[in-house]
Amino acid sequence: MQEIGLQTRFWNDWNASAREHAVHDVSLRQAEVVTGWLDRLEIRDAAILEAGCGSGWFCNQLSRYGSVTATDLSDEVLARASRRMPHIRFVPGDFMHLDFGVEKFDVVVTLEVLSHVEDQAAFVRKLADHLRPGGYLMMATQNRYVLENFNNVPPPATGQIRRWVDKGELRNLLENNFVVTELFTVSPKANKGLMRVVNSSRLNEPIRFLFGNRVERLKERLGFGWTIMALARK
């Protein structure tokens, strides 16, 4: 078990270097899916909780749909975020030990957090506890199948927990507390084997020019995305 102080130090450093001044295309695709859900469900003036908000990079977009409470271990990063975005309520600390109230939120968003918690089942239960009946969970998490089979990923650093799941494992985790309405992958990525060639920019740029994003979306539907996206209702 990683000590919480080590985790806090790791995520302060990681978010400061990787999310505070720029956002990767994988994260932008996740945000695109979440805002698409919010628009389609016609969610407005909602109480929204973002669990594991990192640098707060997504909070401004979420605030278009209601009031946002956002939390993360990265206390130093959140202190800077709160100065940039005073309209967001930032709460630093260990999500598992913070009290946000029972059945308080209409929407809970959590992007690439599940794989970094010790007890995933307890994490999902806590997400559900904070949602009102009929509320929505919008989750993104790393796709174990793609990361293990088609990517060389450096081992976890000190303070970084890593427990990837595949689509079946994620569904099983969620179905104890939610009705899963959508579950699919996005952002095909690979840096080894045949999938490295299939996903290379040299091959995909002319395909995108001719066919738009249709081939990319096909690979996502086939399960080859880096990220699993899940929409679930309490």
Side-chain angles (χ1 to χ4, degrees), residues 172-190:
N172 288 338
L173 270 171
L174 295 179
E175 285 184 339
N176 290 323
N177 297 275
F178 295 95
V179 175
V180 179
T181 58
E182 294 187 38
L183 197 151
F184 56 89
T185 75
V186 295
S187 300
K189 299 282 182 183

Side-chain angles (χ1 to χ4, degrees), residues 7-232:
Q7 294 181 60
T8 300
R9 190 176 307 121
F10 172 82
W11 290 112
N12 268 317
D13 292 344
W14 190 90
N15 280 305
S17 63
R19 286 294 179 274
E20 202 162 10
H21 304 291
V23 182
H24 193 270
D25 61 344
V26 169
S27 296
L28 293 175
R29 179 72 175 114
Q30 294 167 10
E32 179 184 42
V33 172
V34 171
T35 55
W37 283 332
L38 292 165
D39 287 332
R40 195 186 73 211
L41 294 167
E42 298 183 342
I43 291 174
R44 297 293 184 272
D45 301 319
I48 301 171
L49 173 66
E50 185 176 5
C53 66
S55 65
W57 64 270
F58 191 29
C59 292
N60 259 334
Q61 285 179 268
L62 290 176
S63 69
R64 303 201 314 259
Y65 302 92
S67 60
V68 177
T69 298
T71 183
D72 200 272
L73 276 174
S74 308
D75 53 350
E76 297 171 4
V77 174
L78 289 197
R80 294 190 289 271
S82 66
R83 293 193 289 272
R84 295 194 307 274
M85 294 174 277
H87 58 295
I88 308 296
R89 179 191 175 210
F90 288 105
V91 183
D94 180 358
F95 174 72
M96 297 304 296
H97 293 95
L98 293 172
D99 183 4
F100 293 102
V102 176
E103 298 184 351
K104 183 177 178 180
F105 296 93
D106 303 298
V107 177
V108 172
V109 175
T110 180
L111 306 181
E112 294 195 332
V113 179
L114 179 71
S115 63
H116 303 306
V117 298
E118 290 279 1
D119 189 334
Q120 294 179 333
F123 176 70
V124 171
R125 286 194 300 271
K126 185 165 167 54
L127 296 174
D129 286 345
H130 292 315
L131 272 172
R132 293 173 179 146
Y136 289 96
L137 171 67
M138 301 180 180
M139 174 180 283
T141 191
Q142 294 89 338
N143 183 359
R144 181 167 68 85
Y145 171 71
V146 166
L147 270 68
E148 287 185 348
N149 289 287
F150 307 126
N151 287 274
N152 290 311
V153 181
T158 301
Q160 183 185 25
I161 296 168
R162 180 181 291 166
R163 293 196 175 98
W164 297 325
V165 296
D166 60 28
K167 289 171 63 178
E169 291 165 334
L170 179 58
R171 183 178 291 276
N172 288 338
L173 270 171
L174 295 179
E175 285 184 339
N176 290 323
N177 297 275
F178 295 95
V179 175
V180 179
T181 58
E182 294 187 38
L183 197 151
F184 56 89
T185 75
V186 295
S187 300
K189 299 282 182 183
N191 61 27
K192 72 176 184 181
L194 177 62
M195 292 303 294
R196 179 181 181 180
V197 178
V198 171
N199 288 321
S200 68
S201 59
R202 179 175 295 181
L203 176 65
N204 281 273
E205 283 175 6
I207 291 175
R208 194 173 294 114
F209 177 78
L210 292 171
F211 301 105
N213 288 324
R214 281 179 289 176
V215 174
E216 189 89 351
R217 297 297 178 258
L218 174 61
K219 288 186 284 187
E220 291 181 338
R221 290 195 298 273
L222 291 173
F224 293 113
W226 178 282
T227 304
I228 308 171
M229 302 295 308
L231 175 66

